[in-house]
Each structure stands twice: as C-alpha cells, then as structure tokens.
Amino acid sequence: MKESYLREQEKGRLLIFGVSTDESIKDRIKLIYPAERIEVGKSLYAKSKAAFEAQNTERIESSQATRVYNDSYIMLHDKLIQIRKVGRYFFKNDIELSTLLRLNKDVPTAYPEWKALVDDTVKAIITHEAIQEKLTLVALTPEVIAAMQAALITVDELKLKAEKEDGEAQQATTHKQESYIEFMAYCSDLRACLDLFYEGSERQKLEVLGIVVK
C-alpha cells in the first residue's frame, strides 16, 4: 500500500509541476485551470506529502511506545506466572500464604484486575520472608522482585503512552487518507481537463513532461 501510495503521489507531482512549468500548456487550459487553480494543486500535493510523512513518524513512535509497554507487561506477567508456580509448589498446604498470593484465583485478563494481582503478589513477597526464601531457590531473588516493583510503578504510564501514541497514529492515518483522496481527485480532474485539449500526437508533449493523461 505504501509503495502504491507513493507511486500515485509521484505521478500527481509530475502532473502538476509539469503543467505549472510549461507556459504553453498553462495558456491552453487557463480558462478552466487559471494560475491560481494550478497553485491549489501544488498546495494539495504539499499537504498530502506532509500528511504521509507525519503518519510515518506517528507510526514509528506508536510502535516504539507499544514495544516498551509490551516489554514491561510481558516481564511482569512472566514473573507473576513463575511466582504462582513456585507458590503452589511450596505453599499448597499453607492457607495463609496461598491466600496472600491469591493462588486459588485465575490470572485476570483485564488489565486493571491483572495489575492489582501483580501488585498484591509483590507486596505479599516483600512482607513475608518465608515467601522470599522459597523464591530465591529458583532465582527469583530480591533483585528480581525489586525490578518487578519498579516496573509496576511505570507500567500504567507506559500503557497510557502507548495508547496515546496509537491514537495519534490513527488520526495521522485518517488525515493522510483524506489528504491523499483530495489530492487524487484534483489530479483526476486536471487529467480530464488535459484530455479535452490534447489529442493524438499532441499528447507526446505531455508525455515528455512525464504527464500521463490516462
């Protein structure tokens, strides 16, 4: 889609600037396309080009923000699953610790409930040495838990940023599509106008300038 878009955009550029730089063409079509109307075409091209570049930038920023959030989320989720596995192994007969770690509950899929479970799990670990001792046996050291605690502080912010960037990318895409459609409509009309004035061998003049009428 990107290459097709750029190809058509370039054809439109050649059309408009080819016409605007040739005085004989401008003179022939001036009753329908006076100079100011040709300038409109240049503006539409610039608008379409800028919209494409803006969309590209927004998509990159959205992708980066989403990746950072996903890395944080996946790290927390994987550690949560590992902690619960260890907890079930060592504390299956300890009602108090099993309840603190909420081991009899499924891991929620909804973000707010999932975040609350991770938060409660980390707090339970920090406040109970017995849990810390068992987790350390499988490399879930205090440093690993500290990293989880730090990630919990920023994961909401990362999620909000990813959602914000995604929204801006969608808006940029909509703006690009609207600008592109407007530009293509102008080019289509200009080609139709040239079709009225140039027939047969005369069209070679247009082709030399890179202008394709049909």
Side-chain angles (χ1 to χ4, degrees):
M1 176 61 186
K2 178 181 176 181
E3 291 182 1
S4 174
Y5 173 91
L6 290 175
R7 267 198 311 270
E8 293 305 313
Q9 190 182 66
E10 176 61 11
K11 288 180 183 178
R13 186 192 70 81
L14 290 172
L15 168 68
I16 292 167
F17 285 88
V19 169
S20 69
T21 56
D22 191 291
E23 293 300 326
S24 66
I25 296 176
K26 287 196 295 183
D27 185 63
R28 186 176 290 197
I29 67 173
K30 66 182 179 182
L31 293 179
I32 299 177
Y33 269 81
E36 58 269 22
R37 191 174 180 188
I38 294 174
E39 289 302 312
V40 169
K42 292 181 181 180
S43 297
L44 291 175
Y45 166 73
K47 179 181 175 183
S48 178
K49 186 173 183 292
F52 176 81
E53 292 170 350
Q55 184 221 23
N56 195 45
T57 298
E58 292 294 347
R59 286 176 65 182
I60 291 171
E61 292 177 354
S62 175
S63 178
Q64 290 174 339
T66 299
R67 184 174 64 252
V68 172
Y69 163 68
N70 284 340
D71 287 347
S72 180
Y73 175 87
I74 291 169
M75 185 277 283
L76 286 168
H77 189 75
D78 287 350
K79 294 305 179 190
L80 173 67
I81 299 303
Q82 189 178 4
I83 289 166
R84 289 168 65 81
K85 185 186 296 184
V86 174
R88 288 194 177 101
Y89 181 81
F90 286 108
F91 308 125
K92 56 181 174 289
N93 296 319
D94 190 320
I95 296 175
E96 179 189 358
L97 295 184
S98 292
T99 301
L100 279 171
L101 293 170
R102 294 167 60 180
L103 298 179
N104 294 324
K105 301 289 185 180
D106 292 333
V107 176
T109 55
Y111 177 81
E113 289 78 9
W114 171 86
K115 168 80 183 308
L117 175 59
V118 181
D119 195 25
D120 289 346
T121 300
V122 170
K123 287 176 181 176
I125 294 168
I126 292 172
T127 55
H128 287 78
E129 290 186 8
I131 300 176
Q132 295 174 36
E133 289 174 1
K134 298 304 183 184
L135 292 177
T136 301
L137 295 175
V138 292
L140 290 168
T141 62
E143 291 77 16
V144 172
I145 303 306
M148 287 184 67
Q149 193 173 22
L152 273 169
I153 295 172
T154 60
V155 69
D156 283 340
E157 180 181 336
L158 295 175
K159 184 175 186 295
L160 288 173
K161 183 177 180 180
E163 290 172 346
K164 175 178 175 292
E165 294 292 349
D166 181 62
E168 291 177 355
Q170 290 182 28
Q171 289 178 354
T173 297
T174 298
H175 179 60
K176 184 207 77 169
Q177 291 171 339
E178 291 172 348
S179 300
Y180 177 71
I181 289 170
E182 187 179 16
F183 178 56
M184 287 295 102
Y186 176 94
C187 291
S188 178
D189 189 81
L190 179 54
R191 287 190 178 97
C193 178
L194 291 170
D195 188 42
L196 296 176
F197 289 94
Y198 287 88
E199 294 286 345
S201 61
E202 278 197 308
R203 292 198 177 183
Q204 291 179 3
K205 177 178 178 62
L206 302 178
E207 291 170 3
V208 168
L209 297 173
I211 298 172
V212 179
V213 174
K214 286 187 177 180

